[in-house]
Every structure is written in C-alpha cells, then in structure tokens.
C-alpha cells in the first residue's frame, strides 16, 4: 500500500516540476520520445530518493540532478536551468520544513523525529506538494519575462544567494528549535528567494529591452542609409537630366544647321556617358529601382561584374516599403561586401534575379566569395556584429510575410534565395 502511495507522490512531484518549468521558460522543443524518457528517468530518481532516506547532502544532489533533467527540456540557457533547478530544491526544502513544523505542531506524529516513519513521511510529502503548488503560483504571478542571456556577474550573484539560502535552511533545520521563530526564519528565506526571482526577472527584462533598443537603433541607422541611397539616386538622375538638357540644345542646333553626322556622334557619346556614369533600373517599384540602381553603381565603382534580371509587376508587390528596403538592401550589401574581398577582378561576380510569378516574389542572388575550406566568411564592416543582424533582419521579414529564406554556402560562391507570397 505504501509503495502505491509513494508512486502517487512521485507523480505529483513530476507534475509540479512540469508546472514549475513551464511557468519559467518556453515550452520544450524536444521530441515526445525524449520528453517521455526524461520524465521516466526523473520519476525513478525521485521514487528511489523518497523511499531510501539518503543523507541530506546526497538527497540534495539527487534532487538537483533529477530537477535538472526536466529543466533540460526547456528552451533556456544552461546557467538559468541550473540556477532554477537549485532554487526548486530550496523551495522544496522550505515546503517540507513548513510541513514538518505544522504536522509536528498538530501532533500528527507522536514525536518530532518521526521523519523515519513512513506515515509521517507521506503526510509531509503530500502537504509539501500542496505548498509547492502555492509557491509555483506565486512565481507565475511575478515571472513575466522569458529567459535571456545577461551579464555573468548576475548569475554569480544569483548562485551565491541560493547557496547562502541553502546554508541558512540547513542550519535552521538541524540546529534550531522547531518553534515560531524557526518557521518565521524559514518564511523569511522563502520571501528572500521569491524576491530574488522577481528582481532577476526584471534584470533579464532590462537586458532584453536594452538589446532590442540597440537593435532597433541599428535598424533605423541602416534604414536611414537606404533612404540616403535613394536620395542620391534621385540626385544623380536629376543631375543627368539637367546635363542632358544642355546636350539636347546643342544637338538641336546641329539638326537646325543640318550637321546630322555631328549630331549623331554627339548623341552616341552622350549615351555612353550616361550608361557609364549611372546605371538605372526602372521597374516602377521605387525601392527596387533605387536600391538595385545604387548597387549597380557601387559594383561598377568597385570593378565588380554585376548581372541583373528583373521582371516584376510593381502593382503586385504589396510588401511594405520599409520591409522591402530591409530585405533587398541587406541582400545586396552582403553580396557586394563578400565580393569586394576577392583579390582577382575577373572573379568578382554578382548575379541578381528578381521576378514575380503566381502571386509570389522571388529574389535570387549568387555572388562569388573568397575560397574558404571551412566556409566561414569574415566581414570587413566597421561593426562586425551588424552582418549577423542583417541576416537576422532578412529572416524576420521573410517570416513576417510567410515566406522562406534559403542560404547555401559553397567554397567560392554564396547563394541566397527568398520566396515571399504576394497574396
């Protein structure tokens, strides 16, 4: 009979572990097979620990180990999983201490050393399970953020506070009289640890918001850069139009004086100058026209051979201009940057294809890159971290519109394929 009761308390402990970590961290992304094995392993460890009455130190290590197995199923960093596994041990210690105090006080056991009796042990386990449920509800109320990597010093502080709490609890339980001051001291330790969870959660939220603000600032700076490119493109077009007006006056004068051959030569020369000074794209979509035109001129300035095939219907592209700027701007910047690192001019190649079909926009870029055995390309940007942010932004935009991003890295080539639904 007792074995069945201990099995029942073990199942309750597993349920508490599940609720505890589901409150703290996002749901597990592990397979069902892995989750099932983890719970079976943890349940076995808890059951053996419950009926065996190991020394406190051994029981504590076993509890941390079994808790960490369940914590490993959560989407959180190693440090966070370890810290909150130890915290679960502290909360369990407090729950059992409170249970022991009240059971002893109400004389459910004949003597305070009745922890060796199975009946008292079962009552303590059941009562402490109820108390742990209340603790988890409290944590659920104060824990609002998810796991996020913060400064190492904060993790050390958290560990020190937790270890100090364990020491205090151990001293109270084994060396103090079980009176009202004992239970008040235990509750004080509980309050301190709950407060630490609250403060730790706020620190994580502060770091997350700071990083998000930093990322948004970088995105705004990048967007300003794209707008500047657009403005420069229009300035170049305006300058060409202004210069062309003067050339047309001269050509008109040649025609009036019947100097047709001279007029024809001047027209050809003027077209050559326009083509070499500014390569333009005219699809009707302002973002594509401005950014691709700018990329063509940057490629030309850096002696990069850039081929482009664009076949889109501007009216069908209903993607927000801000997002389209981020998408195309980052793709072209990454392609040009990688190609600039190639020493041989004849190897500097970029092939850009943008086309729409069946309510879908396709962006396909193939650019050459330095030969690398490990396929790792280093950036030469002033801020190397921004290269990764650019790729993250591309992924974010693709995901926002229900699209797909595919990247293939070869020894001398980098290929990017993006598919975005237009419907």
């Amino acid at each position: 009979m007792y074995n069945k009761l201990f099995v029942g308390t073990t199942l309750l402990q597993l349920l508490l572990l599940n609720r505890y970590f589901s409150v703290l961290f996002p749901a597990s992304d592990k397979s069902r097979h892995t989750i099932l094995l983890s719970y079976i392993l943890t349940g076995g460890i808890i059951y053996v620990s419950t009926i065996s009455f190991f020394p406190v130190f051994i029981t504590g290590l076993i509890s941390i180990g079994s808790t960490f197995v369940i914590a490993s199923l959560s989407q959180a960093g190693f440090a966070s999983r370890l810290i909150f596994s130890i915290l679960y041990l502290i909360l369990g210690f407090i729950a059992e201490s409170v249970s022991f105090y009240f059971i002893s006080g109400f004389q459910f056991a004949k003597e305070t050393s009745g922890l060796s009796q199975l009946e008292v042990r079962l009552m303590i386990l059941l009562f402490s399970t109820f108390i742990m449920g209340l603790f988890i509800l409290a944590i659920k109320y104060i824990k609002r953020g998810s796991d996020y990597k913060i400064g190492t010093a904060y993790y050390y502080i958290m560990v020190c506070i937790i270890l100090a709490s364990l020491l205090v609890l151990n001293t109270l339980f084994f060396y103090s009289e079980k009176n009202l001051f004992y239970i008040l001291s235990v509750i004080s330790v509980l309050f301190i640890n709950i407060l630490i969870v609250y403060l730790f959660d706020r620190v994580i939220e502060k770091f997350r918001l700071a990083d998000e603000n930093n990322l948004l600032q970088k995105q705004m700076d990048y967007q300003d850069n794209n707008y500047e490119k657009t403005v420069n493109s229009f300035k170049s077009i305006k300058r060409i139009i202004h210069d062309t007006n003067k050339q047309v006056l001269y050509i008109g004068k040649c025609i009036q004086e019947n100097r047709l051959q001279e007029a024809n030569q001047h027209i050809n020369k003027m077209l050559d100058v326009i083509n070499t000074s500014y390569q333009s794209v005219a699809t009707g979509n302002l973002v594509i026209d401005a950014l691709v035109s700018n990329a063509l001129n940057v490629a030309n300035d850096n002696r990069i051979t850039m081929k482009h095939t664009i076949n889109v219907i501007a009216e069908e592209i209903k993607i927000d201009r801000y997002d389209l700027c981020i998408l195309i701007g980052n793709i072209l910047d990454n392609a040009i940057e990688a190609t600039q690192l190639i020493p041989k001019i004849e190897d500097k190649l970029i092939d850009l294809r943008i086309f729409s079909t069946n309510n879908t926009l396709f962006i396909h870029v193939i650019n050459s890159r330095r030969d690398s055995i490990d396929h790792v390309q280093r950036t030469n940007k002033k801020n190397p971290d921004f290269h990764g942010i650019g790729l993250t932004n591309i992924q974010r935009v693709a995901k926002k519109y229900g699209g797909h991003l595919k990247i293939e890295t070869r020894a001398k080539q980098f290929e990017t394929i993006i598919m975005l639904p237009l419907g």
Side-chain angles (χ1 to χ4, degrees), residues 96-293:
E96 289 198 11
S97 298
V98 173
S99 301
F100 178 76
Y101 175 80
F102 282 108
I103 290 173
S104 300
F106 286 104
Q107 297 181 347
F108 287 129
K110 294 182 180 180
E111 48 188 25
T112 57
S113 60
L115 279 174
S116 60
Q117 300 177 9
L118 292 179
E119 296 88 352
V120 177
R121 179 64 174 161
L122 280 170
M123 283 189 288
I124 290 175
L125 286 173
L126 291 173
F127 194 40
S128 64
T129 299
F130 173 75
I131 295 175
M132 276 295 294
L134 296 178
F135 292 168
I136 293 172
L137 285 177
I139 293 174
K140 182 179 180 180
Y141 178 76
I142 65 174
K143 186 78 168 62
R144 299 178 181 178
S146 57
D147 184 52
Y148 195 81
K149 186 174 179 59
I150 61 177
T152 307
Y154 293 95
Y155 290 109
Y156 284 132
I157 293 172
M158 189 78 169
V159 169
C160 289
I161 294 174
I162 289 175
L163 292 178
S165 298
L166 279 175
L167 179 61
V168 171
L169 287 173
N170 181 73
T171 303
L172 288 172
F173 189 80
F174 291 102
Y175 302 101
S176 300
E177 294 184 11
K178 306 304 182 291
N179 51 29
L180 181 60
F181 292 102
Y182 164 79
I183 197 64
L184 290 177
S185 299
V186 171
I187 293 175
S188 298
V189 174
L190 170 65
F191 176 77
I192 290 172
N193 282 272
I194 295 294
L195 181 61
I196 288 301
V197 171
Y198 174 82
L199 295 176
F200 191 68
D201 185 63
R202 294 304 175 269
V203 169
I204 288 176
E205 188 69 8
K206 179 181 178 181
F207 270 81
R208 185 185 65 81
L209 291 175
D211 288 346
E212 283 188 1
N213 288 336
N214 187 37
L215 178 59
L216 287 173
Q217 184 60 50
K218 290 179 179 179
Q219 289 177 346
M220 290 180 65
D221 292 341
Y222 183 78
Q223 193 63 28
D224 287 341
N225 186 37
N226 279 337
Y227 284 136
E228 186 177 348
K229 292 176 183 177
T230 305
V231 171
N232 289 335
S233 296
F234 282 114
K235 285 182 178 179
S236 298
I237 294 173
K238 186 176 181 181
R239 186 183 66 251
I240 291 171
I241 292 174
H242 181 266
D243 293 340
T244 301
N245 286 334
K246 298 177 180 179
Q247 304 298 333
V248 169
L249 291 175
Y250 172 74
I251 294 171
K253 189 66 175 178
C254 290
I255 294 174
Q256 288 178 0
E257 296 180 2
N258 203 26
R259 296 158 62 181
L260 300 181
Q261 185 175 0
E262 185 176 345
N264 186 54
Q265 290 176 349
H266 195 79
I267 290 173
N268 291 332
K269 183 178 180 181
M270 184 179 66
L271 291 175
D272 289 339
V273 170
I274 292 175
N275 290 330
T276 55
S277 63
Y278 185 77
Q279 302 183 58
S280 62
V281 174
T283 65
N285 183 280
L286 183 61
V287 174
I288 295 177
D289 294 347
L291 295 182
V292 176
S293 296

Side-chain angles (χ1 to χ4, degrees), residues 259-401:
R259 296 158 62 181
L260 300 181
Q261 185 175 0
E262 185 176 345
N264 186 54
Q265 290 176 349
H266 195 79
I267 290 173
N268 291 332
K269 183 178 180 181
M270 184 179 66
L271 291 175
D272 289 339
V273 170
I274 292 175
N275 290 330
T276 55
S277 63
Y278 185 77
Q279 302 183 58
S280 62
V281 174
T283 65
N285 183 280
L286 183 61
V287 174
I288 295 177
D289 294 347
L291 295 182
V292 176
S293 296
N294 181 78
L296 287 170
N297 285 280
V298 172
N300 182 66
D301 293 340
N302 288 274
R303 306 177 72 180
I304 297 173
T305 301
M306 182 173 176
K307 301 178 182 179
H308 66 285
T309 303
I310 302 176
N311 185 14
V312 297
I313 300 176
E315 293 77 12
E316 293 183 353
I317 302 178
K318 298 179 181 179
I319 299 171
D320 184 81
R321 290 182 178 181
Y322 180 88
D323 293 330
L324 195 59
C325 275
I326 291 176
L327 194 68
I328 296 178
N330 277 291
I331 292 173
L332 293 175
D333 280 355
N334 290 345
I336 291 174
E337 179 202 350
T339 310
Q340 283 177 327
L341 300 177
I342 299 174
K344 294 183 180 180
I345 296 177
E346 60 271 18
D347 293 335
K348 297 184 176 183
L349 302 172
I350 297 177
D351 186 6
L352 169 66
R353 300 177 186 179
I354 303 177
F355 59 95
S356 58
T357 177
N358 296 328
N359 297 320
T360 304
L361 176 66
F362 291 92
I363 303 175
H364 185 197
V365 181
I366 299 176
N367 61 269
S368 53
R369 66 192 294 273
R370 285 194 304 184
D371 191 6
S372 177
I373 297 176
D374 57 3
H375 290 187
V376 175
Q377 187 76 31
R378 296 189 179 276
T379 179
N380 64 349
K381 290 182 178 178
K382 294 180 180 179
N383 184 0
D385 294 333
F386 193 68
H387 187 76
I389 293 174
L391 183 58
T392 301
N393 288 338
I394 295 173
Q395 293 173 329
R396 178 179 58 79
V397 173
K399 183 178 180 181
K400 176 179 178 180
Y401 291 91

Side-chain angles (χ1 to χ4, degrees), residues 403-415:
H404 301 283
L405 168 65
K406 181 181 179 182
I407 297 174
E408 290 189 6
T409 307
R410 306 183 185 92
K412 294 184 179 181
Q413 200 175 72
F414 193 87
E415 183 176 10

